[in-house]
Amino acid sequence: MKSLVRYAAWPTGISLAAALAFACSSMDEKPAPPPAAPAAKPAPAPAPAPAPAKAESAKATKTKAVEVEGVISAVGQRTITFQMERKGKVREEVVGVDDKTKIEKAGNNVKLRDLQETDKALINYEPEAYTPAIAIKVTGKGEIQKVGGDD
């Protein structure tokens, strides 16, 4: 039995190593075409330039940022939860906050930890995207209300 393990281990190991090498080499071949594509684009750049601009503007309209007024009901480590009234009901939304989010309170730039529950704020964010808020501007105090039913 020991001799069988000794002789079978080498071919098995070599087969696994070959399969791994083949898998890695096929993975490396796929990213190679994208660098070649930008080299081809600069020559016809004047004509196709408007087409990408239209595509970008179409994407921008799909995920357009909105500014809503709400009352902060919770402050997390990287998020805020706020309440806003929509269609006659109080809704709660959560939005992320990162280092690029501009947070303003009483005319001064502040950190996330300086926000408090019941702060009334204008929140600028993209509701259809999973991106952090663009800006949060505290405008005063508000009341946390009971959240409306599902719709």
Side-chain angles (χ1 to χ4, degrees):
M1 184 72 181
K2 288 184 181 181
S3 63
L4 178 64
V5 171
R6 185 181 313 155
Y7 292 116
W10 281 100
T12 305
I14 291 171
S15 298
L16 289 174
L20 182 62
F22 178 74
C24 290
S25 67
S26 66
M27 295 292 279
D28 291 338
E29 291 175 16
K30 289 180 184 176
K41 282 187 179 179
K54 289 180 183 176
E56 288 175 10
S57 65
K59 288 179 185 176
T61 57
K62 287 181 184 176
T63 58
K64 192 169 186 175
V66 296
E67 187 171 66
V68 297
E69 185 176 45
V71 178
I72 297 174
S73 58
V75 179
Q77 290 180 344
R78 303 297 283 168
T79 62
I80 63 164
T81 304
F82 63 95
Q83 294 180 342
M84 63 180 187
E85 190 171 328
R86 185 172 63 204
K87 296 181 182 177
K89 293 186 178 182
V90 177
R91 310 278 182 180
E92 222 170 33
E93 298 231 3
V94 178
V95 68
V97 177
D98 68 359
D99 297 335
K100 295 177 186 174
T101 303
K102 182 180 177 185
I103 304 173
E104 189 177 316
K105 186 173 185 178
N108 298 320
N109 289 337
V110 296
K111 303 269 186 203
L112 176 63
R113 65 176 174 258
D114 297 322
L115 297 179
Q116 299 174 349
E117 290 182 7
T118 71
D119 278 344
K120 192 174 197 178
L122 293 173
I123 298 118
N124 189 342
Y125 72 111
E126 296 177 10
E128 301 299 322
Y130 293 104
T131 57
I134 299 164
I136 301 169
K137 182 178 182 181
V138 176
T139 59
K141 289 288 183 186
E143 286 186 29
I144 297 175
Q145 300 176 19
K146 184 176 181 180
V147 178
D150 294 331
D151 226 10

